[in-house]
Amino acid sequence: MHARKAVFLFVVAWLAACGPATAQEKSDAAARARIVAPFVEEGTVMVAHADLSRVKIEPVVALVRQLVPEAAAEMAQGQAQFEAWLDKFRGAGGKEVYVVVTVGGGLPPEPSVLVLVPIAPGADRRALAALFPGAEPPQVLEPRQLTPAEALRSPLPGPRGEQARSGELLVVSGVRPAGAPELAARLKQLKPVDRPEIAKAFAAAGDTVAQLLVLPPPYAARVIEETMPEFPKAAGGGPSTVLTRGLLWAAVGIDPPPEISLRLVIQSKDAQAAEAFRAKLAEWVKLVGQQKEVVKLLPKFDEIAALVLPKVEGDRLVIRLDRDTKALTDLLAVVQATAEPLRAEARRNQSVNNLKQLGLAMHNYHSVYRRFPAAAICDNSGKPLLSWRVAILPYIEQQTLYKQFHLDEPWDSEHNKKLIAKMPAVYRSPQSKRASNQGRTNYVVPVGPETIFPGTKGIEFRDIRDGSSNTILILEVSDQQAPIWTKPDDWPFDPKDPGRGLGGVYDGGFHATFADGSVRFLPLPQDAAKLRALFTRDGREPVLP
């Protein structure tokens, strides 16, 4: 993962706050507000802070694995990359990271993102700057006894020397609008304004691992009230002042595991505005929960909403959750149960993507050899040795694995059978319910005289006279029919019973890649004549809808 992206995503993902603000926390809040003050303009809409010296990656990964088991492989890779970056960051003397997001006045308004890294005395400036590669080199601001605006007009030297001085700040350009000046020039052109709500929001967030502040610009209320005096009927109607007076600023975040906690604080104009805004939030949540898409994907949406709807405390709306509260335990349980339909949809989408990649590989093979691969790599006598899945390895970025095969030996020879365990991920269906994969794949081709795979030689596009968009190239079968991926074993097409053995992966049908590269879901049961037409390449059947 790109180092800058890793920091930014982490800050956004684990922004936090919980517990009442103590005197120490208020002091920390004031200090944090002073650090970002020179970079806060009228259009600043978000400020984030994370103390990376307190981050523990493994508990976070464990929680994600619990909620989304399918993400284990990706999480393992991301964890290793982020831990390596974090070790370098800490080793160079880094501790904290701030993010300031400001929007311009254009239409649509474009965000500008600055990443700020306080440099502790004795820290390695060069090593810290090297962790944020990009088109624009990071800038180091030196401490000056000037106002923030005057300090920004001073020279902006690059990292030099190994020993940092107290008060230095590394500034990294995250995102800048098209046409905006480069980092050094942008910093000189900043027009800082006093936003006292930032210190208050940091204090409300507390001294947690990280905090996220949502800061509507000073002009936002006027613009909203003038352009939208009333909410549209789809949003429940009513005056927009419920929003502009109910949300002056917000602080929200999480202390990541193992000290898991969450707190949301929304500052309202007064207690009456807080009550009105909470009522409006409850109304909006109810409207969202009535949407068909939400009902389908989040069947327990109402339970989640009940657990996270804030309570009114004076002139604020507050949510408090920590690992010792029943509410958080219940929330995680509901989220885990709700995530299952989402995980099922993600698995389905991944399988579709696998089928698309295999279809593209078939096309690339055809571009090189002017024909599709045969269902099997055969010896000179026509005996099948290895599957087409081995033949297309160079076209799924597996050239090295392809070269390891002895193509003149069968799939289960002493040498080739050792390669079964190296099955590429694209052959692994996320829909498979096997506890261990065992080198089996759910992706097969239809074989038979009338299909695209009639024998020991591959056919050309011109041989698909029914049209490439009407003829099945690859299909997904159930675990019961899944072969060893290197074995020349696929789905035998029976023109008398074309639906035999299909299905079993999804309710109501199966996915198939067509010869034009498209992937479609075909319902079952289906008229035998229509299904037969989809498997035959030269049946001269009418084009099917």
Side-chain angles (χ1 to χ4, degrees):
M1 181 184 293
H2 193 291
R4 182 192 304 166
K5 288 183 179 178
V7 175
F8 183 74
L9 290 176
F10 179 83
V11 171
V12 172
W14 294 108
L15 298 166
C18 72
T22 63
Q24 177 62 41
E25 289 170 352
K26 290 180 180 179
S27 175
D28 291 340
R32 291 167 187 162
R34 283 195 298 270
I35 289 174
V36 300
F39 310 92
V40 173
E41 301 180 88
E42 188 178 40
T44 297
V45 295
M46 187 181 298
V47 172
H49 164 259
D51 185 349
L52 299 185
S53 68
R54 296 163 59 186
V55 170
K56 296 178 181 179
I57 302 300
E58 183 54 44
V60 175
V61 172
L63 178 60
V64 175
R65 284 174 178 161
Q66 176 186 341
L67 297 176
V68 191
E70 292 79 8
E74 294 182 8
M75 287 296 298
Q77 181 180 6
Q79 176 184 358
Q81 292 175 339
F82 186 74
E83 284 182 335
W85 185 92
L86 196 57
D87 285 344
K88 293 179 181 178
F89 180 79
R90 292 168 173 167
K95 179 183 178 183
E96 299 174 283
V97 173
Y98 291 81
V99 177
V100 179
V101 181
T102 302
V103 295
L107 290 175
E110 296 183 82
S112 170
V113 179
L114 294 176
V115 179
L116 317 175
V117 182
I119 304 176
D124 188 336
R125 291 200 207 112
R126 292 184 184 276
L128 284 173
L131 293 173
F132 298 88
E136 300 182 69
Q139 300 290 320
V140 172
L141 299 186
E142 295 184 338
R144 294 278 304 274
Q145 297 299 319
L146 302 171
T147 65
E150 290 172 333
L152 289 173
R153 295 191 189 102
S154 65
L156 303 171
R160 49 184 173 73
E162 298 298 324
Q163 296 298 315
R165 293 189 296 163
S166 178
E168 288 185 330
L169 191 69
L170 183 71
V171 184
V172 183
S173 174
V175 176
R176 67 183 176 99
E182 293 187 356
L183 180 58
R186 286 167 62 205
L187 294 177
K188 290 182 180 179
Q189 294 175 12
L190 282 174
K191 298 178 180 178
V193 298
D194 185 23
R195 300 282 295 272
E197 69 269 29
I198 292 179
K200 295 177 182 178
F202 268 129
D207 187 27
T208 51
V209 170
Q211 305 85 39
L212 173 66
L213 315 182
V214 179
L215 310 163
Y219 55 79
R222 174 179 53 81
V223 172
I224 292 173
E225 291 172 10
E226 290 180 356
T227 59
M228 187 180 62
E230 298 281 328
F231 288 116
K233 290 183 179 180
S240 61
T241 52
V242 172
L243 171 63
T244 58
R245 298 175 186 177
L247 175 59
L248 302 185
W249 53 260
V252 61
I254 301 169
D255 253 335
E259 301 297 330
I260 185 169
S261 64
L262 177 148
R263 180 176 178 176
L264 164 68
V265 178
I266 299 175
Q267 179 66 58
S268 300
K269 183 177 180 180
D270 50 38
Q272 184 179 359
E275 291 283 1
F277 189 46
R278 185 192 185 280
K280 194 64 179 177
L281 286 175
E283 183 181 352
W284 286 341
V285 167
K286 184 177 180 180
L287 289 173
V288 171
Q290 293 172 348
Q291 300 298 312
K292 292 181 179 179
E293 296 81 2
V294 175
V295 173
K296 179 182 178 181
L297 293 177
L298 300 172
K300 296 192 176 184
F301 178 84
D302 290 342
E303 293 183 43
I304 296 176
L307 289 168
V308 299
L309 197 63
K311 297 180 180 180
V312 176
E313 296 184 2
D315 60 356
R316 291 180 174 183
L317 301 178
V318 179
I319 296 174
R320 292 188 184 90
L321 298 173
D322 62 51
R323 65 176 182 176
D324 297 324
T325 62
K326 182 176 182 298
L328 181 58
T329 303
D330 292 345
L331 178 60
L332 292 176
V334 173
V335 168
Q336 189 168 12
T338 299
E340 179 50 39
L342 300 177
R343 292 200 296 266
E345 186 68 17
R347 291 194 298 268
R348 188 166 184 152
N349 291 338
Q350 180 58 54
S351 192
V352 168
N353 187 59
N354 289 347
L355 285 164
K356 287 181 178 179
Q357 289 188 56
L358 296 178
L360 178 61
M362 288 279 201
H363 278 227
N364 290 337
Y365 184 101
H366 190 288
S367 296
V368 174
Y369 295 102
R370 304 298 183 215
R371 59 181 174 82
F372 285 110
I377 299 172
C378 300
D379 62 16
N380 293 333
S381 66
K383 178 184 177 182
L385 301 176
L386 291 159
S387 168
W388 60 273
R389 291 173 287 267
V390 174
I392 68 168
L393 283 174
Y395 307 99
I396 56 172
E397 300 181 357
Q398 294 289 334
Q399 179 72 31
T400 301
L401 178 58
Y402 178 75
K403 289 181 178 180
Q404 294 178 42
F405 279 91
H406 290 174
L407 301 180
D408 57 348
E409 296 179 5
W411 68 276
D412 56 352
S413 70
E414 193 63 30
H415 173 81
N416 285 340
K417 68 181 181 181
K418 297 176 183 178
L419 302 176
I420 293 173
K422 297 185 178 183
M423 184 175 79
V426 72
Y427 291 136
R428 183 173 294 110
S429 172
Q431 290 294 128
S432 177
K433 295 180 174 60
R434 296 188 193 89
S436 67
N437 194 272
Q438 301 173 333
R440 292 184 176 270
T441 180
N442 297 74
Y443 304 123
V444 298
V445 297
V447 293
E450 298 174 279
T451 71
I452 294 179
F453 301 91
T456 59
K457 292 185 178 180
I459 67 168
E460 302 177 39
F461 263 117
R462 64 182 180 180
D463 297 320
I464 308 174
R465 293 185 174 86
D466 287 347
S468 61
S469 62
N470 298 315
T471 311
I472 292 175
L473 182 69
I474 308 168
L475 63 150
E476 187 173 12
V477 296
S478 66
D479 286 349
Q480 289 71 29
Q481 299 194 70
I484 298 293
W485 75 278
T486 58
K487 185 178 181 180
D489 182 13
D490 287 273
W491 183 76
F493 169 64
D494 182 355
K496 295 180 180 180
D497 187 7
R500 185 174 65 186
L502 295 178
V505 182
Y506 312 94
D507 292 335
F510 67 100
H511 279 119
T513 306
F514 282 71
D516 65 350
S518 64
V519 177
R520 302 177 221 168
F521 185 76
L522 302 176
L524 291 174
Q526 190 169 147
D527 178 78
K530 290 184 178 181
L531 195 56
R532 185 182 304 111
L534 294 176
F535 282 107
T536 59
R537 71 180 188 279
D538 190 16
R540 308 302 173 94
E541 302 93 350
V543 176
L544 299 173

